[in-house]
């Protein structure tokens, strides 16, 4: 079998492009760069947040519930995840017991181009996406068979489950929205350094991580 190499022959670069993404990310952001996911809302009164709670995405591609790495939903499970459960538990540790309003997701750090038109058939929602600045479990919700169509709405739904697991009641459901001007930070969770996020991307050939690093 002969193999003809030509600079004029188009070829699909596939995951080799992740090496370029990794190099650019380290160059632009730095190896110690971290992603921060924040929770903001009204100051709790007797443990109750008497308004909506807003989960603000910081572009963290590995934000996940603690169940997700062991879920067997992916051929190569995510590792080094940023714990959405830890974020919920920190709210509980700060005395929050219930949310009178809704849990809203805010992905406004990035645009809402969840997929790319240039992707081939069978890619969107399977090989990659939907992606946004707020995404949890690669847009999955514990107990659902399919990815959320809207990654931000999916993350807010997932966070309600994590809050419930931490003993915090949510009375108003979930949705998508922005914080009020007087909202204060109630909790935050920070990712591992970018160098370790890149390790996950390269070892797992994680398309979502790569796409989100390009956005960042």
């Amino acid at each position: 079998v002969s193999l003809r190499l030509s600079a004029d022959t188009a070829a699909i670069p596939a995951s080799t492009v992740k090496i370029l993404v990794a190099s650019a990310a380290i160059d632009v952001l730095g190896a110690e760069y971290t992603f921060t996911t924040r929770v903001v809302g009204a100051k709790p009164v007797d443990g109750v947040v008497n308004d909506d709670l807003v989960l603000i995405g910081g572009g963290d591609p590995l934000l996940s519930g603690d169940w997700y790495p062991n879920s067997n939903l992916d051929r190569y499970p995510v590792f080094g995840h940023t714990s959405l459960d830890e974020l919920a538990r920190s709210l509980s540790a700060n005395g929050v017991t219930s949310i009178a309003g809704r849990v809203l997701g805010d992905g406004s750090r990035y645009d809402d181009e969840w997929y790319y038109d240039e992707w081939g058939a069978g890619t969107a929602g399977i090989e990659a996406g939907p992606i946004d600045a707020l995404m949890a479990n690669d847009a999955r919700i514990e107990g659902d068979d399919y990815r959320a169509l809207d990654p931000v709405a999916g993350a807010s739904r997932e966070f309600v489950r994590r809050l419930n697991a931490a003993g915090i009641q949510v009375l108003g459901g979930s949705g998508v929205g922005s914080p009020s001007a007087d909202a204060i930070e109630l909790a935050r969770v920070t990712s591992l350094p970018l160098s370790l996020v890149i390790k996950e991307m390269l070892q797992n050939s994680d398309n979502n991580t790569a796409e989100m690093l390009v956005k960042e």
Side-chain angles (χ1 to χ4, degrees):
V1 178
S2 62
L3 176 64
R4 183 176 66 87
L5 300 178
S6 172
D8 299 323
T9 302
I12 298 174
S15 286
T16 56
V17 173
K18 290 188 178 74
I19 298 172
L20 301 181
V21 171
S23 177
I26 290 291
D27 184 56
V28 173
L29 301 173
E32 299 304 312
Y33 184 82
T34 56
F35 301 90
T36 300
T37 305
R38 303 167 55 232
V39 174
V40 303
K43 183 178 180 179
V45 177
D46 296 327
V48 180
V49 176
N50 289 299
D51 201 347
D52 295 331
L53 192 76
V54 184
L55 179 67
I56 302 178
D60 191 339
L62 302 182
L63 184 67
S64 307
D66 290 346
W67 65 273
Y68 184 52
N70 302 312
S71 65
N72 296 317
L73 290 172
D74 296 292
R75 182 178 180 184
Y76 301 111
V78 65
F79 62 87
H81 76 287
T82 308
S83 175
L84 202 57
D85 287 88
E86 179 184 332
L87 184 60
R89 288 191 294 265
S90 66
L91 270 177
S92 178
N94 289 337
V96 175
T97 58
S98 66
I99 313 299
R102 301 165 294 168
V103 170
L104 302 179
D106 182 344
S108 59
R109 184 179 182 87
Y110 300 161
D111 57 43
D112 287 331
E113 190 177 22
W114 303 334
Y115 306 105
Y116 299 109
D117 293 338
E118 295 81 3
W119 287 351
T123 299
I126 300 173
E127 295 294 335
I131 56 171
D132 209 330
L134 177 60
M135 179 186 72
N137 313 320
D138 291 305
R140 291 187 171 95
I141 299 100
E142 186 178 22
D144 285 8
D145 293 332
Y146 302 101
R147 297 181 197 270
L149 296 177
D150 179 336
V152 178
S156 62
R157 286 175 58 200
E158 172 66 12
F159 193 45
V160 169
R161 285 162 171 75
R162 308 279 60 85
L163 290 169
N164 291 163
I168 299 174
Q169 185 179 21
V170 178
L171 302 179
S174 64
V176 175
S178 303
S180 62
D182 57 351
I184 63 172
E185 182 174 303
L186 302 176
R188 62 168 54 197
V189 67
T190 303
S191 73
L192 293 174
L194 178 62
S195 58
L196 297 178
V197 174
I198 285 174
K199 179 180 179 180
E200 188 277 341
M201 177 185 74
L202 295 177
Q203 184 168 319
N204 282 356
S205 193
D206 192 320
N207 294 327
N208 281 341
T209 299
E211 294 291 352
M212 289 179 69
L213 287 185
V214 170
K215 292 273 192 183
E216 187 67 17

